[in-house]
Amino acid sequence: MTTAAPHRHELRALTGMRGIAAWFVVLFHIRLSIDWLPAGLVALFAKGYLAVDFFFLLSGFVIWLSWSARLRSGGIAAVPGFLWRRLARIWPLHLVMLGATLALVLALAATGRHDAGHYPYAELPLHMLLLQTWGFTDRLTWNDPSWSISTEWAAYLLFPLVAFALDWRRVPSWVVVSAIGALLALLHVVMAGSPSLGTDIWTFGLRRCLIEFAVGGALCSLWQRWRDAPVIPALVALGCGIGAFVGFLEGEPETLCIPATFAAALLALALTSGSRGNPLDVPALHYLGEISYATYLSHFLLFVIVKLVLVDDVRDIPPVLIALYLLLVLGTSVALHHLVERPAQIWMNRLPARLRRTGSGAQASSSSS
């Protein structure tokens, strides 16, 4: 759930959609506290965990768009730069939120309220290195939403191999479409009969991310070849998405139908991004997409704090407190994005050049002496 394309590549409707998806994850985590809403809405929010699958598809799409050609043209020498820039995008804010969670846990431990099951100190190194969802644990711990950041880091590490080995531009469209279908079927198979995509994340989350990330890259290649005449492909994609979703409503497996629905929707959205009057292209929604990573990583800890400070029963939180919590998430997202996420990303991206200049200066000084 993390990436935004450079502005020269940005499809603004997809950025707006990322903001919507982030807030669906927020609503999923507070679903037990908003059962005073209509039952249909609560049931919808209970499926908010599926927004992460859209994130994975979108991330694969954007990374393929931004980096596949650059890696192929730059060769092996371009890989460290790619990985460093991806790390600069996801790691600083993750560390800040992990540190904030640790501070809360230490404060609770001082009062005898440490939850050793959910906050095991021994697993902190895994979280710091973004390895917590690589099969080393049997539960989600610390800042729960960061599990997806761990799996995305694995996808980034594997991406250069895929970019070097596969150039979708040289493959006929029907082969790309067939590959997408095969990958979506593979996801259903590797979920091993799980009733939902959210089952046992510590076991299936990595598979879920890697496959959907790959599908996103293939979808990008279709967008690149169809974007100049998008109407018919967009309508076909929309029809396929509707068909897959109807199959889900009629009882077909979530692990098959929902990724297919999201894949078709992503392609249709990409093909229509930039269309005049696109409701996902409004500035406010675009900004929510810009700060969505901060929203995604901060909301869980904020809700833990709200529950500790303000309520005794998570199922009995009045609407006014829920509204205040949502405003707190929004304000915190803005602050983290502008004061932590972006400055840290810029600093890390500039660091290699600074180190090279420092090394060159030291070498020149040594030579002159």
Side-chain angles (χ1 to χ4, degrees):
M1 141 350 97
T2 62
T3 52
H7 291 300
R8 66 181 181 276
H9 287 150
E10 185 181 15
L11 301 173
R12 290 178 59 89
L14 298 187
T15 301
M17 192 63 207
R18 196 170 71 245
I20 294 173
W23 280 92
F24 261 99
V25 176
V26 175
L27 294 169
F28 166 72
H29 281 129
I30 67 171
R31 67 194 183 282
L32 299 179
S33 304
I34 53 177
D35 56 4
W36 32 262
L37 287 175
L41 271 181
V42 176
L44 175 63
F45 298 152
K47 290 292 185 180
Y49 63 90
L50 295 173
V52 178
D53 296 277
F54 185 82
F55 287 139
F56 291 152
L57 290 163
L58 179 57
S59 183
F61 185 106
V62 171
I63 295 299
W64 189 270
L65 175 62
S66 303
W67 281 98
S68 59
R70 291 162 67 181
L71 285 172
R72 282 192 296 270
S73 62
I76 297 296
V79 173
F82 163 73
L83 293 177
W84 182 256
R85 293 183 74 86
R86 299 322 307 154
L87 190 65
R89 178 69 177 93
I90 64 175
W91 199 43
L93 186 58
H94 164 67
L95 287 183
V96 167
M97 293 312 305
L98 183 61
T101 306
L102 176 60
L104 175 63
V105 170
L106 291 175
L108 292 175
T111 63
R113 301 171 66 185
H114 175 233
D115 182 356
H118 195 78
Y119 303 107
Y121 295 124
E123 292 185 12
L124 276 173
L126 293 176
H127 287 262
M128 293 176 66
L129 297 173
L130 292 170
L131 303 177
Q132 68 268 31
T133 325
W134 287 24
F136 301 118
T137 63
D138 59 0
R139 63 200 184 284
L140 296 184
T141 57
W142 293 92
N143 188 24
D144 285 17
S146 69
W147 74 265
S148 66
I149 311 305
S150 170
T151 62
E152 284 231 6
W153 177 237
Y156 298 156
L157 290 172
L158 292 173
F159 178 75
L161 299 177
V162 177
F164 292 146
L166 179 63
D167 185 352
W168 285 120
R169 296 173 301 179
R170 302 178 183 276
V171 179
S173 297
W174 71 267
V175 175
V176 181
V177 173
S178 298
I180 291 171
L183 285 168
L184 293 172
L186 176 63
L187 175 60
H188 174 62
V189 171
V190 301
M191 291 297 292
S194 300
S196 79
L197 287 161
T199 301
D200 295 345
I201 288 171
W202 47 90
T203 299
F204 298 112
L206 185 60
R207 310 174 196 182
R208 183 176 160 195
C209 173
L210 294 179
I211 294 174
E212 290 175 336
F213 190 94
V215 170
L219 290 170
C220 179
S221 75
L222 292 179
W223 171 80
Q224 287 173 317
R225 66 185 70 192
W226 294 340
R227 59 185 169 181
D228 293 330
V231 176
I232 292 178
L235 290 174
V236 172
L238 183 62
C240 291
I242 292 173
F245 187 65
V246 168
F248 169 68
L249 294 178
E250 293 182 349
E252 295 301 319
E254 176 181 293
T255 52
L256 181 64
C257 293
I258 293 301
T261 299
F262 286 167
L266 174 57
L267 181 57
L269 284 170
L271 288 167
T272 57
S273 183
S275 301
R276 182 173 299 178
N278 191 318
L280 294 175
D281 197 11
V282 297
L285 196 53
H286 181 266
Y287 184 69
L288 285 182
E290 288 287 313
I291 65 173
S292 61
Y293 185 48
T295 301
Y296 181 76
L297 278 190
S298 67
H299 78 275
F300 189 84
L301 177 61
L302 290 173
F303 196 52
V304 170
I305 295 172
V306 166
K307 290 185 289 184
L308 286 170
V309 174
L310 297 178
V311 299
D312 296 319
D313 183 359
V314 70
R315 292 183 176 273
D316 190 28
I317 302 181
V320 64
L321 289 184
I322 291 295
L324 288 174
Y325 162 73
L326 296 177
L327 287 174
L328 177 63
V329 171
L330 179 60
T332 302
S333 301
V334 172
L336 288 174
H337 177 74
H338 291 288
L339 300 178
V340 177
E341 179 187 349
R342 289 295 295 149
Q345 181 183 6
I346 292 169
W347 183 85
M348 283 188 66
N349 284 338
R350 291 175 177 172
L351 184 59
R354 290 174 179 169
L355 292 176
R356 285 194 296 269
R357 287 196 298 268
T358 300
S360 299
Q363 185 177 7
S365 176
S366 175
S367 300
S368 63
S369 64

